[in-house]
Amino acid sequence: MKVDRSGATWLRGRVCVCLRHMVTSKCILVFLCLFITVPLVGHYYLSNIAGDIDHPIHRSRTKLDYPDSDIDLSKSSELKHQIEELRRIKASVNNELRDLESKRQKLQAEVSGYTTHIDTLKSQYETINKEVSQLKIALDQLRVEKEETIMQYIPNIKAPQRILMEADPSENIPLPMSPQSCRMHSCFDYTPCSLVSGFPVFVYNPEGSLFGSHKIVDFVQSSFISSLQKSVYVTTDPMSACLFVVLVGEIAEDQLVDRAHFERQLHDLPHWHGDGRNHIILNLARSPSNKEFFTDVNTGRAMMVQSVFVNSVFRPGFDVLVPPNFGIAEGDTWQDLPSMSPVRRKYLISFWGEAISSKLAQNIEQNIQSIQNTVNENGGNVQRVPRSVQEVPQGAGQEEELSEEGEDDEEEDGNFQVRTLKAAADATRLVSLEASVVAALKKMHNQIPDTLFLQFSCDGPRPQGSYAEWGLCGNNERRSKVLSQSTFSLVLPPTNFTMLSTTVFQIRLYESLKYGAIPIILGDHVQLPFSEILDWRLAAIFLPVSRVTEIHFFLRTFTDSDISQMRQHGRFLWETYMSNSKRILDTTLAVFRTRLQIPAKPVKEEPTPSVFNASFIPLKFNGPEMEPETDEVLGPTEARFPSEKFYRNYTQFINYNIFNKPGDPFHLYPYQPFDTVLPSEAKYLGSGYGFRSIGKGAGGSGKEFSGALGGNIQREQFTIVMLTYEREAVLIKALQRLKGLPFLNKVIVVWNNPIPPSPELRWPDIHVPLEIVKTFKNSLNNRFLPYDSIETEAILSIDDDAHLRHDEIIFGFRVWREERERIVGFPGRFHAWDLKHQSWLYNSNYSCELSMVLTGAAFFHKYYSYLYSYVMPAAIRDKVDEYTNCEDIAMNFLVSHITRKPPIKVTSRWTFRCPGCPQTLSSNDSHFQERHKCINFFVKVYGYMPLLYTQYRVDSVLFKTRLPHDKQKCFKYI
């Protein structure tokens, strides 16, 4: 029979422990018995002695009477001796009692010491046990990391080598059959534009004598120079350039251009290289009279960019159609935009214009018969064409200009009469189409006149525009007033289907988007600006002309939310891509860069200067450490690691989608909060790098939960950004509380005080890097700067007086990982509607709805730091500096505007109290008044109220759930 030695050892240990406990208990029991019995025995002994003494009988106050009446003087000495003996015995007993009491007190002190020691040992045991558990988790993490390192071996791939253009490249590369058939694969030279080239662009200086045959409009030239000087892509080295940009317009109205001379000047450009490869020719429209510029001009392999195109010139996927350059040079334009509410405006549909071709209809009809008779009389030859038909403008027929070199040239062209008759026939057809559209719209207007604004004639000067299109009526002020009161706006394209776009058509689209009237485009033959990257279906309605009689019914089916969404997207497109010259040029370059699959330049990050000199060594805190507020194991102890950066640089669908979402499409961000989540099984079937599943995929309760982050995202850490000002003692305590916090990567203290901290200040060691950042001015915006020291996607923004327990922080971090595009925080607030003043109010009362989370204790993605600092309108940051207030409201506005989702509140905390703190900004009486003003000002900037309400908060899964004794909750108190 085998003996289980381990079991026997354990049994002997248990017996020894029991014996030690029994000995201790017996000692305590013996001392208690002695303490009780000794006084009782002493009392009994004294009582017996006293009983043997004859007590005198008191007969009177002045005289002692003895029973025997005789006084035995001999007994007095004996009695005296007995009394002294009793006194001696009493003194002896008292001494013994004092000795016993002293011993009892000593024993009690020893028992108390043993009890304290036992409690200390228990505490140490729990601490050691917690550390052992954390070490086990850490070992498991290291084991998984080792396996990942072995399994996830990715060789370093060398980036493709850049190919620089030769000084005089070969000019014998054959062109396609005609320049009109150019496409990127046939006319573009990819060799100087490698994926890692950075997209260098060389810009010809438009000043001087580059094109001496015409003068560029001053504003177009100055804004072009100013915008490109600030571009990160511009290079002064033509040998390294991927693209060459040349500005040729807009040309002043009184300028006549010799196209042949202009073509020769193009070919004489120093880097034209015979065929204009990789050249961009810009014609930026500034006035409604801007015309198609490149007809009959041999541009070779160059790509054309302008607002006016006909189908015989435009090459899809090669040339780019841009909006007119009617805005300012650069800067915010929100001041010029109306509010996006109410959703349904005074007019359901508006249109104000006049068909320019209708004025020629009568003249053309009178001359058609004359032309036909002339042809018949001359046997098919036209000797003389009526001047009224010769003056049919460009756009009719095949858009070919009638020769101005004399009648001899016309007679030499055997097909001239055919083209003339075709132009006349097309003009008649266009007039008929215009008339049918006008008739249908007028009929609809007569039936419901109160909700429509339709005018088909100008009550002032001649309409602006060219032949075969709907001319503009009135001035900008009158048109903007109508559009600001319109829900939808008719944008009628040219009735000549060969005209893909005109400046007047682009102006109508531009103004509709600007003033919040959703454009309705009748016809599908037109091109819209930047349609290669922009999804115009999100902001405009496209209908065939044959639907003109059903427009009213169709538009009535749109809900308020549909109208609001389209209006918001239209404003986004206008502000981001059309509002000023810089936006137009940036977007133009972005189109070509996206075609070439070259990622944008990385967004800049703010430096993190230290408040300390390079030679200064801060003092270390040597006081007592704070006791942990909880004995829970909240996560593994792991080494610091940053979040992975720039891992989706070349993902094509990402690069295209960013142009149709609010944000910043012109820069490359190290990470964004909108990444797609893998299917759950993928992490177990080859795509598990970086994932830490709960119980290795088996799940579990509190014990397994604390061992891994789990969730649907790879493991990560977070950075704490703490704002402080003149509260050094509060700051040090706040930092001390962070020691031992799992998943913490770094702590950055934003020192908002212009006076540096005291050199005698002692800084605690919290086992992660602690950086004290020097700011250039006292601004609450500093807390949201995208510091380059922040190496994680997750940021916990916290005030120095916000006291959060470790379990609350970790729970908030876990929740944020599942809702990383939103703000996740603790104290909640909401915006309330003031019925009396028809405006918004900031409210901090307890409420069952909230729409904001204070960023004095909240998680958010670093992506929003970039947007807050560089993309959000500067007027909002200026208002924050003006009031030294409202930065948290501004961040909530921004995130809700980008995501169209409310924030998430975690735990029951509604506010933070800091009894030992000096006076705070929020205690000022004007604090709430300023916040009321901030909310209403921010609404004006955005054009609507982006905040959304939510009616729930988040607690852990097993909170208030009854569990078996062998299971643990996720968090004890959350």
Side-chain angles (χ1 to χ4, degrees):
M1 179 177 179
K2 294 183 179 180
V3 179
D4 189 347
R5 297 184 180 277
S6 62
T9 302
W10 176 83
L11 182 61
R12 285 197 300 271
R14 293 295 299 173
V15 169
C16 292
V17 171
C18 292
L19 289 175
R20 284 197 296 269
H21 283 296
M22 290 176 61
V23 171
T24 304
S25 301
K26 287 181 177 180
C27 290
I28 295 173
L29 183 61
V30 169
F31 288 129
L32 289 176
C33 291
L34 289 174
F35 178 72
I36 295 172
T37 55
V38 168
L40 292 176
V41 171
H43 182 268
Y44 177 76
Y45 177 72
L46 293 175
S47 299
N48 289 338
I49 294 175
D52 295 335
I53 301 174
D54 294 333
H55 296 283
I57 300 174
H58 298 275
R59 305 223 181 244
S60 68
R61 288 180 172 271
T62 60
K63 182 178 177 181
L64 290 178
D65 296 329
Y66 291 92
D68 298 336
S69 301
D70 296 328
I71 299 174
D72 190 355
L73 296 177
S74 63
K75 291 183 178 180
S76 61
S77 59
E78 183 179 354
L79 182 62
K80 191 174 183 180
H81 177 73
Q82 291 178 353
I83 291 172
E84 290 176 355
E85 183 67 19
L86 288 174
R87 287 177 178 174
R88 186 184 62 77
I89 293 173
K90 179 181 178 182
S92 177
V93 170
N94 286 337
N95 291 334
E96 291 181 3
L97 288 176
R98 280 195 294 269
D99 292 340
L100 290 173
E101 177 64 19
S102 176
K103 291 180 181 179
R104 185 186 68 83
Q105 290 179 355
K106 289 181 181 180
L107 289 173
Q108 281 186 333
E110 290 180 3
V111 170
S112 178
Y114 288 135
T115 304
T116 303
H117 186 60
I118 291 171
D119 293 339
T120 303
L121 291 175
K122 286 182 179 180
S123 176
Q124 291 176 356
Y125 170 78
E126 292 174 355
T127 302
I128 293 172
N129 191 36
K130 180 179 178 181
E131 291 176 355
V132 169
S133 300
Q134 289 178 331
L135 288 174
K136 288 181 179 179
I137 295 173
L139 288 174
D140 291 338
Q141 295 282 334
L142 290 173
R143 190 178 299 110
V144 174
E145 290 179 17
K146 180 181 177 181
E147 293 173 357
E148 287 179 345
T149 303
I150 296 173
M151 300 295 294
Q152 195 73 16
Y153 173 70
I154 301 177
N156 292 326
I157 301 175
K158 185 178 180 181
Q161 187 175 357
R162 289 200 56 197
I163 303 175
L164 301 180
M165 185 173 288
E166 299 177 6
D168 187 17
S170 173
E171 298 181 6
N172 299 322
I173 302 175
L175 283 168
M177 296 297 295
S178 69
Q180 280 68 33
S181 62
C182 265
R183 298 296 184 270
M184 292 295 290
H185 67 275
S186 60
C187 288
F188 190 84
D189 184 7
Y190 283 86
T191 53
C193 303
S194 71
L195 294 175
V196 295
S197 64
F199 192 61
V201 177
F202 179 82
V203 180
Y204 290 96
N205 187 357
E207 296 178 335
S209 58
L210 181 60
F211 293 103
S213 61
H214 65 270
K215 177 177 174 56
I216 301 174
V217 172
D218 290 339
F219 175 81
V220 173
Q221 179 171 306
S222 62
S223 62
F224 172 83
I225 295 174
S226 174
S227 299
L228 289 181
Q229 282 178 344
K230 298 177 181 179
S231 175
V232 294
Y233 301 105
V234 172
T235 179
T236 57
D237 180 14
M239 297 304 299
S240 65
C242 169
L243 292 181
F244 300 84
V245 179
V246 54
L247 178 67
V248 300
E250 177 181 71
I251 301 172
E253 294 185 18
D254 56 350
Q255 294 284 320
L256 295 176
V257 180
D258 184 345
R259 296 182 185 272
H261 181 62
F262 170 72
E263 182 178 317
R264 289 193 298 271
Q265 288 182 311
L266 273 181
H267 292 190
D268 291 339
L269 289 171
H271 309 292
W272 187 259
H273 299 304
D275 55 9
R277 67 190 68 176
N278 295 26
H279 274 64
I280 298 174
I281 306 175
L282 279 174
N283 175 26
L284 300 177
R286 182 67 179 174
S287 66
S289 60
N290 184 271
K291 300 177 181 178
E292 207 289 317
F293 192 81
F294 301 109
T295 302
D296 298 330
V297 176
N298 181 11
T299 57
R301 297 176 184 269
M303 297 167 286
M304 295 176 286
V305 176
Q306 59 180 354
S307 299
V308 182
F309 273 110
V310 294
N311 61 3
S312 61
V313 175
F314 182 72
R315 298 163 293 185
F318 196 70
D319 299 325
V320 175
L321 185 118
V322 298
N325 187 22
F326 285 152
I328 59 178
E330 62 178 311
D332 294 337
T333 52
W334 60 269
Q335 304 93 330
D336 303 327
L337 305 181
S339 172
M340 287 188 276
S341 296
V343 174
R344 298 190 183 272
R345 297 174 173 177
K346 179 179 180 181
Y347 302 118
L348 178 66
I349 310 173
S350 69
F351 178 80
W352 188 17
E354 183 175 333
I356 297 177
S357 56
S358 63
K359 293 188 175 183
L360 300 174
Q362 185 177 1
N363 186 28
I364 292 174
E365 290 176 356
Q366 291 175 355
N367 286 282
I368 288 177
Q369 188 62 42
S370 175
I371 296 173
Q372 292 175 342
N373 293 337
T374 303
V375 171
N376 293 333
E377 292 174 359
N378 292 278
N381 295 322
V382 179
Q383 301 295 327
R384 185 87 175 167
V385 179
R387 190 66 183 170
S388 59
V389 178
Q390 292 182 25
E391 293 176 350
V392 173
Q394 177 183 340
Q398 296 299 317
E399 306 86 43
E400 298 178 9
E401 295 182 352
L402 298 180
S403 174
E404 298 179 357
E405 297 178 359
E407 295 181 7
D408 294 338
D409 295 336
E410 295 174 359
E411 292 173 359
E412 292 175 2
D413 186 356
N415 295 324
F416 179 75
Q417 70 275 18
V418 178
R419 291 188 288 110
T420 304
L421 287 173
K422 185 173 179 59
D426 287 346
T428 304
R429 178 182 58 81
L430 298 179
V431 171
S432 175
L433 180 61
E434 292 166 355
S436 62
V437 171
V438 171
L441 292 175
K442 283 185 176 180
K443 181 179 179 181
M444 181 173 59
H445 184 259
N446 292 333
Q447 294 175 348
I448 42 175
D450 295 338
T451 60
L452 304 180
F453 181 92
L454 300 175
Q455 292 190 15
F456 301 98
S457 61
C458 300
D459 54 6
R462 180 178 180 274
Q464 304 175 66
S466 58
Y467 177 73
E469 69 175 336
W470 299 85
L472 286 175
C473 297
N475 55 26
N476 294 338
E477 183 178 354
R478 295 181 65 185
R479 292 196 302 271
S480 65
K481 183 177 180 181
V482 173
L483 291 172
S484 298
Q485 300 179 73
S486 304
T487 306
F488 299 94
S489 169
L490 277 177
V491 180
L492 299 179
T495 50
N496 184 354
F497 292 167
T498 64
M499 302 175 70
L500 301 182
S501 177
T502 65
T503 307
V504 170
F505 171 76
Q506 296 293 340
I507 291 173
R508 288 192 184 279
L509 178 66
Y510 177 94
E511 291 181 344
S512 297
L513 297 175
K514 180 178 180 179
Y515 298 110
I518 300 172
I520 306 170
I521 300 173
L522 288 182
D524 56 0
H525 64 283
V526 292
Q527 288 285 333
L528 298 188
F530 305 126
S531 57
E532 188 174 334
I533 58 174
L534 302 184
D535 187 355
W536 283 99
R537 294 169 298 178
L538 301 175
I541 299 171
F542 297 87
L543 291 174
V545 177
S546 57
R547 297 287 188 196
V548 66
T549 57
E550 301 177 292
I551 287 179
H552 183 264
F553 167 78
F554 181 73
L555 297 181
R556 286 295 186 185
T557 65
F558 281 69
T559 65
D560 286 3
S561 59
D562 294 337
I563 295 172
S564 176
Q565 183 176 357
M566 294 188 73
R567 182 174 295 156
Q568 289 177 24
H569 196 78
R571 174 164 170 157
F572 156 71
L573 293 180
W574 185 87
E575 285 188 304
T576 307
Y577 305 111
M578 306 169 67
S579 58
N580 57 53
S581 302
K582 188 177 186 304
R583 295 284 188 177
I584 294 174
L585 290 171
D586 287 346
T587 309
T588 302
L589 293 180
V591 170
F592 291 108
R593 178 181 51 75
T594 306
R595 280 184 190 174
L596 300 174
Q597 299 88 37
I598 300 176
K601 290 286 187 181
V603 67
K604 71 173 183 177
E605 294 192 294
E606 290 293 321
T608 315
S610 175
V611 294
F612 305 115
N613 296 327
S615 59
F616 179 76
I617 301 177
L619 299 178
K620 294 296 183 180
F621 181 81
N622 53 9
E625 295 185 357
M626 288 190 173
E627 292 293 330
E629 297 175 319
T630 176
D631 58 351
E632 294 180 84
V633 177
L634 299 172
T637 301
E638 55 188 6
R640 295 174 54 251
F641 60 90
S643 297
E644 188 177 356
K645 292 184 177 182
F646 300 111
Y647 52 90
R648 306 182 80 179
N649 296 358
Y650 298 95
T651 307
Q652 282 193 334
F653 76 90
I654 297 293
N655 294 335
Y656 276 94
N657 287 344
I658 59 174
F659 291 102
N660 294 288
K661 295 180 179 179
D664 177 19
F666 302 119
H667 293 91
L668 182 65
Y669 288 84
Y671 17 63
Q672 293 190 14
F674 312 111
D675 291 349
T676 305
V677 176
L678 280 173
S680 295
E681 71 276 7
K683 66 185 73 171
Y684 308 112
L685 301 176
S687 300
Y689 183 80
F691 287 94
R692 298 293 183 270
S693 300
I694 304 298
K696 298 182 179 180
S701 59
K703 182 179 179 180
E704 295 79 11
F705 178 76
S706 62
L709 270 176
N712 306 306
I713 306 294
Q714 295 172 326
R715 69 182 184 129
E716 59 187 326
Q717 297 177 342
F718 64 91
T719 302
I720 288 182
V721 177
M722 184 178 293
L723 187 70
T724 188
Y725 186 93
E726 289 187 347
R727 296 194 293 201
E728 295 181 351
V730 175
L731 171 65
I732 297 302
K733 289 183 179 179
L735 293 175
Q736 284 181 284
R737 288 193 294 266
L738 300 178
K739 185 175 181 180
L741 182 61
F743 310 116
L744 179 60
N745 181 273
K746 185 182 296 183
V747 176
I748 295 178
V749 175
V750 180
W751 191 267
N752 238 11
N753 191 345
I755 303 174
S758 169
E760 302 299 324
L761 189 62
R762 294 184 174 273
W763 301 89
D765 181 10
I766 56 177
H767 295 172
V768 296
L770 174 62
E771 298 187 20
I772 318 300
V773 181
K774 177 183 178 182
T775 57
F776 297 101
K777 66 174 182 178
N778 178 20
S779 172
L780 293 178
N781 293 316
N782 292 333
R783 77 184 316 156
F784 298 132
L785 286 173
Y787 294 110
D788 55 8
S789 290
I790 301 176
E791 300 175 322
T792 61
E793 297 183 54
I795 296 175
L796 172 58
S797 173
I798 191 168
D799 290 334
D800 54 6
D801 60 351
H803 183 178
L804 290 173
R805 302 193 313 268
H806 284 196
D807 57 342
E808 292 176 310
I809 295 175
I810 298 304
F811 176 67
F813 176 55
R814 287 181 179 270
V815 172
W816 175 87
R817 279 171 44 80
E818 299 184 27
E819 297 288 350
R820 54 202 307 114
E821 63 181 6
R822 300 158 81 170
I823 300 177
V824 175
F826 297 86
R829 302 292 185 264
F830 67 100
H831 63 295
W833 182 248
D834 185 352
L835 295 173
K836 180 178 180 181
H837 299 95
Q838 296 292 292
S839 61
W840 292 106
L841 297 174
Y842 172 84
N843 201 311
S844 63
N845 294 329
Y846 294 101
S847 171
C848 293
E849 277 190 331
L850 61 91
S851 58
M852 292 176 280
V853 165
L854 299 186
T855 54
F859 284 93
F860 62 90
H861 198 282
K862 189 181 178 182
Y863 174 71
Y864 297 121
S865 291
Y866 297 108
L867 297 187
Y868 185 98
S869 303
Y870 305 141
V871 179
M872 186 180 70
I876 295 180
R877 295 190 296 273
D878 294 341
K879 185 63 68 173
V880 170
D881 286 336
E882 177 185 346
Y883 288 150
T884 316
N885 199 345
C886 307
E887 86 288 356
D888 48 357
I889 301 177
M891 178 58 85
N892 278 270
F893 264 68
L894 172 65
V895 177
S896 294
H897 170 67
I898 297 296
T899 63
R900 301 305 300 128
K901 294 179 181 179
I904 291 181
K905 173 176 169 49
V906 291
T907 76
S908 60
R909 286 186 181 268
W910 195 262
T911 185
F912 292 104
R913 300 185 183 278
C914 186
C917 298
Q919 185 175 3
T920 59
L921 294 174
S922 59
S923 62
N924 195 323
D925 293 338
S926 63
H927 176 77
F928 285 94
Q929 295 300 322
E930 291 171 350
R931 292 172 87 79
H932 299 328
K933 295 177 183 177
C934 284
I935 284 186
N936 288 284
F937 177 76
F938 296 166
V939 168
K940 290 181 180 179
V941 175
Y942 283 98
Y944 76 112
M945 167 54 79
L947 297 179
L948 297 172
Y949 294 106
T950 182
Q951 297 180 353
Y952 71 92
R953 78 171 191 228
V954 178
D955 292 308
S956 65
V957 175
L958 297 180
F959 181 61
K960 290 189 176 180
T961 301
R962 293 185 178 180
L963 298 178
H965 68 279
D966 59 338
K967 299 293 183 181
Q968 298 179 8
K969 291 189 175 183
C970 311
F971 295 91
K972 286 186 177 180
Y973 309 110
I974 300 176

